[in-house]
Amino acid sequence: MAVDGGSTSLHLPCVFSPKARQYLALCAQDGKLRVWNTDSKTLHQEYVPSAHLSATCMCIAWGPCRTILSLMEGPQRKKRKSETVGVEKKADLLAMGTAAGTVLIYSTVKGSLHCTLDEGHSGGVNCVQWHPLDSLLYSGSDDTNIVEWDLQTGKARSKWKADRAAVTSVCVSPDGKLLLSAGQIIKMWDLNTKEIYRKFTGHSTAVTTLCFATTRPPDSNSLYFLSGAAHDRLLSVWQVREDGKDKNSLVSFTLTDEPRHIDIITSNSKEEAVRLAVVCKDGQLHFFEHFLNGPCKKPLSPSCTVLMSDTKESPMPIPLLAAALTTDPRTVVLAYGNHLQPMMEKVEINTAERHVCLTRDVQTSLSLSMDTTVKTPIVDTKCRVLVPGLPGHQAPVKGTSQGSEKRKKQTATKEMSIEERLCEINLSTASTAKGAPKGTASLQTDNFAVLLVQGLESNDANILNEVFQTRKEMVVRKTVARLPLSAVLPLVNELTNRLQGHPFTAVLMVRWLKAVLMHHTSYLVSLPDLVSQLGVLYHMIESRVRMFHKLTKLHGKLFSHTYCSFNISYYKINNYFI
């Protein structure tokens, strides 16, 4: 049986549903929960928590499949003897731990929030795990506590301190009698008494993954579990012994990077091997198959490693997000790409080969199809021509003449240079401040757009500083609206760099960023590498939002008015970031 553990807060959660692997649940950088159908490869449901910006989702865990009764014929009348009731088990409930310390229970059958579990943690929830038999849920938090939730009442049934540090991973045994928890020390708890049953030490960093490898009871010296830690390229296998001589790990599996997603088919006997599928931080997938019948001194290498790349001349790697094993040893369900628009596929892999490389054309499925054909129209002197490019930035266009005409002499008017445009900006600003008459020349919005494009292309700090100093919100909006698509991403990168500078400068940059998100969100979302392009900006905004909530709790006089305004501005533009 495949066991799915909850994802930890060290990476974006991404988990397949149990049993049939019909759904893939994940949270992206925008804080939304998305449930994808792996069969139709379409978005099944999307849920936006009310506090998804300030209380982001940190972990996800599917609940056990629930029995759902469905009447085959008319539900609004009495049943006849000939009518039958369909009974099927479906993956329904999802538990989501948030940075605010709450646990959200979402129902995929209802398509809405089932309940909210709060008043249990004072810190962010790092891990959640369902009880395999009872209606119970366990959560670990930064407040070093574990909470046992009763899902029938929606309240905390028990709470106890588990570690000196944050609890980063929990896992319940298949029989529901034992609980594993870990920060840097792995502890096994008796769920009846809530007392420590065993302790295991061996990781130097925070443990991010815990899962049981066997379904046998602990009194037979045949209970095994796996553990993985942050920045650790080894998966350790531990044995729970009756005599307590289980301080060291028995087996280690070598990886290319720290584990991010693990799927396991447990062993029911010594003659049955454990099957593992491990997706690492570097986007590679490793398969392991091992008989747990004793210690092994040397770390074991994967039996097969899977890589994925695109079909370009210079191939680029495509990161794998998650993998799910099936009853067929050669078939695996893969999720790859990015968290905003993942690709799902069921493939057959020859695990007898040590290295397998899969090629996929992800670019065509994620990017927008754009027509780049340029047609030159036939015009005459009576036609008014709108030249492609920035509105107002006109270029001379000549109509077709029947006879040969002499070229006219150039007029005295010519296009302004960059220096002249900068001087005109300064003059217009000064004249506005001194109350100059209406006849004073002022730079139009389209000229701002031309200057901005020139400054981004030449990376000229003087041009960019002059353009970014404008405080008129309407000018900023029109300038950004007139930008070509090729200049949007360079502008976002420039704004991201300037947002990390002086708070006063950052406040001005917020206006520009707000305008970009208002006019060019559809283009940014269509980018295939959106995660890598906007990741720094998103994490910066998220950190400022957290700081804003801390500032609201301050009492008395606040002297750093500029810094407060900066955080408030960050808080406002989050509505446009999604």
Side-chain angles (χ1 to χ4, degrees):
M1 182 180 67
V3 178
D4 286 318
S7 302
T8 66
S9 62
L10 299 179
H11 64 281
L12 296 173
C14 178
V15 185
F16 280 102
S17 62
K19 300 293 183 182
R21 312 296 187 182
Q22 185 180 3
Y23 300 111
L24 174 69
L26 48 81
C27 278
Q29 292 85 346
D30 55 5
K32 297 180 180 179
L33 169 68
R34 293 180 176 90
V35 180
W36 296 81
N37 191 314
T38 58
D39 296 331
S40 61
K41 300 178 178 60
T42 57
L43 182 62
H44 179 61
Q45 290 178 10
E46 185 179 71
Y47 173 68
V48 184
S50 58
H52 65 288
L53 293 177
S54 59
T56 56
C57 178
M58 303 179 69
C59 54
I60 295 177
W62 283 93
C65 293
R66 304 203 313 172
T67 302
I68 299 175
L69 302 179
S70 59
L71 188 62
M72 297 302 180
E73 297 183 6
Q76 299 298 331
R77 56 184 176 83
K78 294 183 179 180
K79 294 185 296 182
R80 299 176 183 175
K81 293 182 179 179
S82 59
E83 294 176 349
T84 57
V85 176
V87 179
E88 57 179 342
K89 288 188 175 182
K90 287 186 177 181
D92 179 19
L93 298 181
L94 267 171
M96 298 181 291
T98 67
T102 59
V103 179
L104 307 179
I105 306 298
Y106 179 80
S107 174
T108 57
V109 174
K110 298 179 181 178
S112 60
L113 189 66
H114 181 71
C115 65
T116 301
L117 308 178
D118 51 9
E119 298 182 359
H121 291 291
S122 59
V125 178
N126 298 320
C127 48
V128 287
Q129 182 69 36
W130 296 77
H131 194 282
L133 304 176
D134 301 329
S135 298
L136 300 175
L137 183 74
Y138 297 89
S139 59
S141 170
D142 287 336
D143 60 7
T144 70
N145 293 325
I146 295 177
V147 176
E148 181 183 61
W149 302 93
D150 189 345
L151 297 180
Q152 293 182 351
T153 61
K155 297 182 179 180
R157 183 177 178 181
S158 180
K159 179 179 178 180
W160 68 95
K161 185 177 179 61
D163 206 320
R164 294 182 179 179
V167 180
T168 54
S169 184
V170 292
C171 183
V172 184
S173 61
D175 59 0
K177 297 180 179 180
L178 299 174
L179 174 71
L180 286 172
S181 70
Q184 291 186 357
I185 300 176
I186 303 174
K187 297 180 181 179
M188 180 174 284
W189 303 84
D190 188 340
L191 288 179
N192 292 327
T193 61
K194 305 299 186 295
E195 295 180 354
I196 296 179
Y197 182 75
R198 289 283 193 278
K199 284 186 180 181
F200 305 88
T201 57
H203 293 287
S204 59
T205 55
V207 177
T208 59
T209 302
L210 286 174
C211 58
F212 282 89
T214 58
T215 57
R216 286 158 272 172
D219 55 358
S220 61
N221 284 339
S222 299
L223 185 65
Y224 296 83
F225 68 91
L226 285 80
S227 65
H231 313 294
D232 194 347
R233 298 183 179 181
L234 288 177
L235 269 181
S236 301
V237 181
W238 309 80
Q239 182 184 19
V240 183
R241 298 172 57 93
E242 284 184 326
D243 52 10
K245 297 179 180 180
D246 43 22
K247 296 182 179 180
N248 298 322
S249 61
L250 294 181
V251 184
S252 297
F253 298 117
T254 58
L255 305 172
T256 54
D257 209 331
E258 65 176 89
R260 285 297 178 87
H261 183 277
I262 295 180
D263 190 41
I264 182 173
I265 294 183
T266 57
S267 171
N268 298 319
S269 63
K270 294 182 179 181
E271 292 75 20
E272 185 178 358
V274 174
R275 292 173 53 202
L276 278 175
V278 184
V279 176
C280 296
K281 182 181 178 180
D282 57 4
Q284 298 188 40
L285 171 62
H286 303 286
F287 290 98
F288 297 92
E289 189 170 353
H290 182 68
F291 292 92
L292 298 176
N293 51 13
C296 185
K297 295 182 179 180
K298 295 183 178 181
L300 301 178
S301 301
S303 59
C304 179
T305 298
V306 179
L307 299 168
M308 186 171 286
S309 65
D310 55 23
T311 56
K312 297 181 181 179
E313 295 182 359
S314 300
M316 295 294 293
I318 301 174
L320 289 164
L321 304 177
L325 298 170
T326 62
T327 54
D328 185 2
R330 297 172 57 90
T331 305
V332 62
V333 184
L334 299 179
Y336 55 91
N338 60 71
H339 286 75
L340 291 174
Q341 191 175 358
M343 303 296 295
M344 293 143 289
E345 184 180 355
K346 183 179 290 186
V347 297
E348 290 188 2
I349 297 177
N350 185 10
T351 55
E353 299 182 6
R354 296 298 299 271
H355 298 278
V356 177
C357 184
L358 304 176
T359 57
R360 297 292 184 270
D361 190 5
V362 183
Q363 185 74 18
T364 56
S365 59
L366 295 182
S367 61
L368 293 178
S369 59
M370 299 179 64
D371 186 9
T372 57
T373 304
V374 178
K375 298 181 180 180
T376 304
I378 299 176
V379 298
D380 53 21
T381 56
K382 297 181 180 180
C383 297
R384 181 183 178 185
V385 180
L386 299 178
V387 181
L390 301 176
H393 184 204
Q394 299 179 356
V397 176
K398 295 184 178 181
T400 58
S401 60
Q402 300 295 333
S404 60
E405 297 180 359
K406 295 182 179 180
R407 182 172 299 176
K408 297 181 180 180
K409 296 182 180 180
Q410 296 181 351
T411 59
T413 59
K414 62 178 181 179
E415 186 179 359
M416 291 186 298
S417 64
I418 295 178
E419 294 182 359
E420 292 173 345
R421 292 180 186 273
L422 291 176
C423 293
E424 190 170 350
I425 292 178
N426 294 330
L427 289 175
S428 61
T429 304
S431 62
T432 304
K434 296 179 180 180
K438 296 182 179 180
T440 306
S442 61
L443 200 61
Q444 300 298 324
T445 306
D446 55 333
N447 293 332
F448 270 102
V450 174
L451 278 177
L452 182 57
V453 173
Q454 293 175 350
L456 292 173
E457 290 179 352
S458 61
N459 198 17
D460 194 325
N462 293 329
I463 299 177
L464 295 176
N465 290 336
E466 293 291 344
V467 175
F468 287 147
Q469 282 179 0
T470 178
R471 299 186 180 184
K472 297 181 179 180
E473 188 172 356
M474 186 59 65
V475 175
V476 174
R477 290 184 181 181
K478 291 183 177 180
T479 302
V480 173
R482 285 171 166 81
L483 285 179
L485 294 181
S486 58
V488 174
L489 196 56
L491 175 60
V492 173
N493 294 333
E494 180 67 25
L495 294 175
T496 303
N497 295 333
R498 290 173 177 260
L499 283 171
Q500 303 177 32
H502 193 274
F504 179 76
T505 305
V507 171
L508 297 178
M509 297 305 103
V510 167
R511 298 178 181 177
W512 289 89
L513 181 59
K514 178 181 177 180
V516 171
L517 297 176
M518 287 178 60
H519 294 284
H520 300 290
T521 301
S522 59
Y523 168 70
L524 293 174
V525 173
S526 67
L527 296 175
D529 53 350
L530 176 66
V531 176
S532 59
Q533 296 287 357
L534 302 183
V536 177
L537 178 61
Y538 176 80
H539 290 297
M540 188 192 311
I541 293 177
E542 185 181 29
S543 63
R544 294 295 180 180
V545 171
R546 293 180 180 177
M547 182 62 66
F548 173 78
H549 286 282
K550 294 181 180 179
L551 288 174
T552 57
K553 298 180 181 179
L554 293 178
H555 297 280
K557 295 183 179 179
L558 185 61
F559 295 97
S560 182
H561 175 70
T562 303
Y563 187 73
C564 182
S565 302
F566 178 42
N567 284 277
I568 293 175
S569 300
Y570 265 112
Y571 180 76
K572 290 181 179 179
I573 70 168
N574 274 273
N575 294 327
Y576 299 93
F577 191 73
I578 302 172

